[in-house]
Amino acid sequence: MKLLADRRRHPMALVALLLVGLLLTGGAYALFTQTSSAKADTASASDIEEGKKLFAANCATCHGMNAEGTKAGPGLIGVGAAAVDFQVGTGRMPLQANGPQARVKEPQFDEEQTAQLAAYVASLGPGPAVPEDKYLDASKGDPAAGGGLFRTNCAMCHNVVGSGGALTRGKYAPNLADVSEKHLYEAMQTGPQNMPIFNDANLTPEDKRDVIAYVKEVSDNPSPGGFKLGSLGPVAEGLFIWFFGLAAVIGLTVWLSSRAK
């Protein structure tokens, strides 16, 4: 019995338990990410091969021939298809010029080529997949619930109605009015630029759909009073009126005084 107890207290037993725990955790993570990337895994071998050619010709200079990363650009292994679809689909990549952040421009690749690039990067390691269509239908979302989530997690940068705003060091949060449902979802899922990542543990797919429903509702909301003035709220809009109203009064006073002389 004493020999058995000594064996149980062997110092290597703790190391073995730690190794088993790490293996189980890694396996569970791989299973989860592969499940979330199921849509990307359906890409054909020919699409992956075409995506590899496009990557070598257009992306490898910065990201490395095997997407391992270089001094000019980060590694892409494990970023998933969603990150590529967002960055390439919005024209942010390939990068047009160095700056505080990548700017939106006309996409360089069509939808098929973008999907091929995404399939190739997804084949290098598990990561977030392009979202399913059922989570992109804003009509099935709850704008009220989405509004609460947006004000809690997004409004400090994007403004309460998603009209965007300036950040530090020349960076900015873009206006969300014309962003597609798919790219809104992918932005939450992958956290581009300064944006945090909202994975399914932070915001479920249904939560993301609610946020999309809210953004689309406030973006399509008309302004019967005239100019929205960035939808900054009554205080800022009141100051705007006071400023221009006071300037008009002063201008009129100066003009009348000059006429009287």
mmCIF file of all heavy atoms in Angstrom, residues 51-73:
data_model
loop_
_atom_site.group_PDB
_atom_site.id
_atom_site.type_symbol
_atom_site.label_atom_id
_atom_site.label_comp_id
_atom_site.label_asym_id
_atom_site.label_seq_id
_atom_site.Cartn_x
_atom_site.Cartn_y
_atom_site.Cartn_z
ATOM 1 N N GLY A 51 -7.249 29.455 -55.174
ATOM 2 C CA GLY A 51 -7.019 30.448 -54.128
ATOM 3 C C GLY A 51 -5.549 30.549 -53.763
ATOM 4 O O GLY A 51 -5.037 31.644 -53.500
ATOM 5 N N LYS A 52 -4.863 29.425 -53.773
ATOM 6 C CA LYS A 52 -3.413 29.434 -53.492
ATOM 7 C C LYS A 52 -2.658 30.232 -54.542
ATOM 8 O O LYS A 52 -1.732 30.992 -54.219
ATOM 9 C CB LYS A 52 -2.901 28.003 -53.433
ATOM 10 C CG LYS A 52 -1.435 27.882 -53.070
ATOM 11 C CD LYS A 52 -1.015 26.427 -52.953
ATOM 12 C CE LYS A 52 0.461 26.321 -52.556
ATOM 13 N NZ LYS A 52 0.879 24.897 -52.425
ATOM 14 N N LYS A 53 -3.060 30.084 -55.809
ATOM 15 C CA LYS A 53 -2.404 30.839 -56.892
ATOM 16 C C LYS A 53 -2.667 32.333 -56.739
ATOM 17 O O LYS A 53 -1.752 33.161 -56.903
ATOM 18 C CB LYS A 53 -2.919 30.340 -58.244
ATOM 19 C CG LYS A 53 -2.527 28.913 -58.577
ATOM 20 C CD LYS A 53 -3.147 28.476 -59.894
ATOM 21 C CE LYS A 53 -2.815 27.028 -60.211
ATOM 22 N NZ LYS A 53 -3.467 26.580 -61.473
ATOM 23 N N LEU A 54 -3.910 32.684 -56.428
ATOM 24 C CA LEU A 54 -4.243 34.099 -56.230
ATOM 25 C C LEU A 54 -3.471 34.674 -55.049
ATOM 26 O O LEU A 54 -2.991 35.811 -55.088
ATOM 27 C CB LEU A 54 -5.751 34.253 -55.995
ATOM 28 C CG LEU A 54 -6.671 34.011 -57.198
ATOM 29 C CD1 LEU A 54 -8.122 33.925 -56.742
ATOM 30 C CD2 LEU A 54 -6.508 35.129 -58.220
ATOM 31 N N PHE A 55 -3.349 33.874 -54.006
ATOM 32 C CA PHE A 55 -2.628 34.326 -52.815
ATOM 33 C C PHE A 55 -1.157 34.568 -53.140
ATOM 34 O O PHE A 55 -0.584 35.585 -52.746
ATOM 35 C CB PHE A 55 -2.756 33.278 -51.704
ATOM 36 C CG PHE A 55 -2.172 33.710 -50.396
ATOM 37 C CD1 PHE A 55 -2.954 34.344 -49.450
ATOM 38 C CD2 PHE A 55 -0.834 33.478 -50.100
ATOM 39 C CE1 PHE A 55 -2.422 34.758 -48.237
ATOM 40 C CE2 PHE A 55 -0.285 33.889 -48.891
ATOM 41 C CZ PHE A 55 -1.082 34.528 -47.959
ATOM 42 N N ALA A 56 -0.549 33.636 -53.856
ATOM 43 C CA ALA A 56 0.870 33.775 -54.190
ATOM 44 C C ALA A 56 1.122 35.007 -55.050
ATOM 45 O O ALA A 56 2.145 35.686 -54.908
ATOM 46 C CB ALA A 56 1.350 32.521 -54.906
ATOM 47 N N ALA A 57 0.166 35.326 -55.930
ATOM 48 C CA ALA A 57 0.360 36.448 -56.852
ATOM 49 C C ALA A 57 0.032 37.800 -56.225
ATOM 50 O O ALA A 57 0.591 38.821 -56.643
ATOM 51 C CB ALA A 57 -0.503 36.244 -58.093
ATOM 52 N N ASN A 58 -0.847 37.815 -55.216
ATOM 53 C CA ASN A 58 -1.355 39.104 -54.723
ATOM 54 C C ASN A 58 -1.149 39.367 -53.233
ATOM 55 O O ASN A 58 -1.232 40.523 -52.813
ATOM 56 C CB ASN A 58 -2.856 39.202 -55.009
ATOM 57 C CG ASN A 58 -3.185 39.115 -56.482
ATOM 58 O OD1 ASN A 58 -3.124 40.113 -57.190
ATOM 59 N ND2 ASN A 58 -3.545 37.921 -56.955
ATOM 60 N N CYS A 59 -0.864 38.335 -52.456
ATOM 61 C CA CYS A 59 -0.838 38.499 -50.998
ATOM 62 C C CYS A 59 0.473 38.071 -50.348
ATOM 63 O O CYS A 59 0.784 38.515 -49.235
ATOM 64 C CB CYS A 59 -1.974 37.691 -50.357
ATOM 65 S SG CYS A 59 -3.582 37.869 -51.165
ATOM 66 N N ALA A 60 1.211 37.199 -51.035
ATOM 67 C CA ALA A 60 2.391 36.593 -50.422
ATOM 68 C C ALA A 60 3.498 37.599 -50.127
ATOM 69 O O ALA A 60 4.302 37.384 -49.223
ATOM 70 C CB ALA A 60 2.927 35.478 -51.317
ATOM 71 N N THR A 61 3.547 38.694 -50.873
ATOM 72 C CA THR A 61 4.588 39.698 -50.638
ATOM 73 C C THR A 61 4.571 40.193 -49.207
ATOM 74 O O THR A 61 5.626 40.397 -48.590
ATOM 75 C CB THR A 61 4.410 40.891 -51.599
ATOM 76 O OG1 THR A 61 4.436 40.423 -52.944
ATOM 77 C CG2 THR A 61 5.512 41.914 -51.390
ATOM 78 N N CYS A 62 3.381 40.385 -48.658
ATOM 79 C CA CYS A 62 3.264 40.879 -47.282
ATOM 80 C C CYS A 62 3.049 39.757 -46.266
ATOM 81 O O CYS A 62 3.572 39.821 -45.149
ATOM 82 C CB CYS A 62 2.117 41.877 -47.176
ATOM 83 S SG CYS A 62 2.368 43.406 -48.096
ATOM 84 N N HIS A 63 2.268 38.750 -46.654
ATOM 85 C CA HIS A 63 1.868 37.726 -45.690
ATOM 86 C C HIS A 63 2.713 36.455 -45.760
ATOM 87 O O HIS A 63 2.498 35.546 -44.944
ATOM 88 C CB HIS A 63 0.395 37.367 -45.889
ATOM 89 C CG HIS A 63 -0.543 38.503 -45.614
ATOM 90 N ND1 HIS A 63 -0.782 38.967 -44.338
ATOM 91 C CD2 HIS A 63 -1.275 39.292 -46.442
ATOM 92 C CE1 HIS A 63 -1.641 39.976 -44.390
ATOM 93 N NE2 HIS A 63 -1.955 40.199 -45.654
ATOM 94 N N GLY A 64 3.663 36.390 -46.715
ATOM 95 C CA GLY A 64 4.489 35.203 -46.832
ATOM 96 C C GLY A 64 3.894 34.181 -47.778
ATOM 97 O O GLY A 64 2.669 34.088 -47.918
ATOM 98 N N MET A 65 4.749 33.397 -48.416
ATOM 99 C CA MET A 65 4.278 32.419 -49.405
ATOM 100 C C MET A 65 3.345 31.385 -48.792
ATOM 101 O O MET A 65 2.464 30.860 -49.453
ATOM 102 C CB MET A 65 5.466 31.726 -50.050
ATOM 103 C CG MET A 65 6.197 32.573 -51.077
ATOM 104 S SD MET A 65 5.126 33.094 -52.457
ATOM 105 C CE MET A 65 4.675 31.516 -53.172
ATOM 106 N N ASN A 66 3.554 31.068 -47.516
ATOM 107 C CA ASN A 66 2.712 30.090 -46.838
ATOM 108 C C ASN A 66 1.819 30.740 -45.778
ATOM 109 O O ASN A 66 1.363 30.078 -44.845
ATOM 110 C CB ASN A 66 3.580 29.008 -46.186
ATOM 111 C CG ASN A 66 4.413 28.255 -47.210
ATOM 112 O OD1 ASN A 66 3.891 27.740 -48.193
ATOM 113 N ND2 ASN A 66 5.722 28.200 -46.991
ATOM 114 N N ALA A 67 1.583 32.051 -45.939
ATOM 115 C CA ALA A 67 0.746 32.819 -45.014
ATOM 116 C C ALA A 67 1.304 32.817 -43.601
ATOM 117 O O ALA A 67 0.566 33.004 -42.633
ATOM 118 C CB ALA A 67 -0.693 32.296 -45.017
ATOM 119 N N GLU A 68 2.630 32.620 -43.496
ATOM 120 C CA GLU A 68 3.254 32.584 -42.180
ATOM 121 C C GLU A 68 3.507 33.970 -41.614
ATOM 122 O O GLU A 68 3.827 34.119 -40.439
ATOM 123 C CB GLU A 68 4.585 31.815 -42.238
ATOM 124 C CG GLU A 68 5.735 32.533 -42.945
ATOM 125 C CD GLU A 68 5.698 32.424 -44.467
ATOM 126 O OE1 GLU A 68 4.667 31.980 -44.999
ATOM 127 O OE2 GLU A 68 6.696 32.777 -45.105
ATOM 128 N N GLY A 69 3.349 35.004 -42.458
ATOM 129 C CA GLY A 69 3.562 36.372 -42.016
ATOM 130 C C GLY A 69 4.976 36.855 -42.266
ATOM 131 O O GLY A 69 5.918 36.064 -42.341
ATOM 132 N N THR A 70 5.123 38.153 -42.423
ATOM 133 C CA THR A 70 6.427 38.792 -42.596
ATOM 134 C C THR A 70 6.434 40.087 -41.790
ATOM 135 O O THR A 70 5.452 40.411 -41.107
ATOM 136 C CB THR A 70 6.704 39.115 -44.079
ATOM 137 O OG1 THR A 70 5.809 40.162 -44.512
ATOM 138 C CG2 THR A 70 6.514 37.895 -44.968
ATOM 139 N N LYS A 71 7.504 40.852 -41.906
ATOM 140 C CA LYS A 71 7.555 42.148 -41.237
ATOM 141 C C LYS A 71 6.517 43.110 -41.809
ATOM 142 O O LYS A 71 6.103 44.054 -41.132
ATOM 143 C CB LYS A 71 8.947 42.749 -41.382
ATOM 144 C CG LYS A 71 10.024 41.998 -40.612
ATOM 145 C CD LYS A 71 11.376 42.677 -40.788
ATOM 146 C CE LYS A 71 12.457 41.919 -40.011
ATOM 147 N NZ LYS A 71 13.791 42.559 -40.172
ATOM 148 N N ALA A 72 6.102 42.853 -43.043
ATOM 149 C CA ALA A 72 5.140 43.747 -43.702
ATOM 150 C C ALA A 72 3.692 43.378 -43.446
ATOM 151 O O ALA A 72 2.791 44.176 -43.712
ATOM 152 C CB ALA A 72 5.401 43.766 -45.209
ATOM 153 N N GLY A 73 3.446 42.188 -42.939
ATOM 154 C CA GLY A 73 2.066 41.768 -42.731
ATOM 155 C C GLY A 73 1.976 40.586 -41.787
ATOM 156 O O GLY A 73 2.914 39.793 -41.669
#
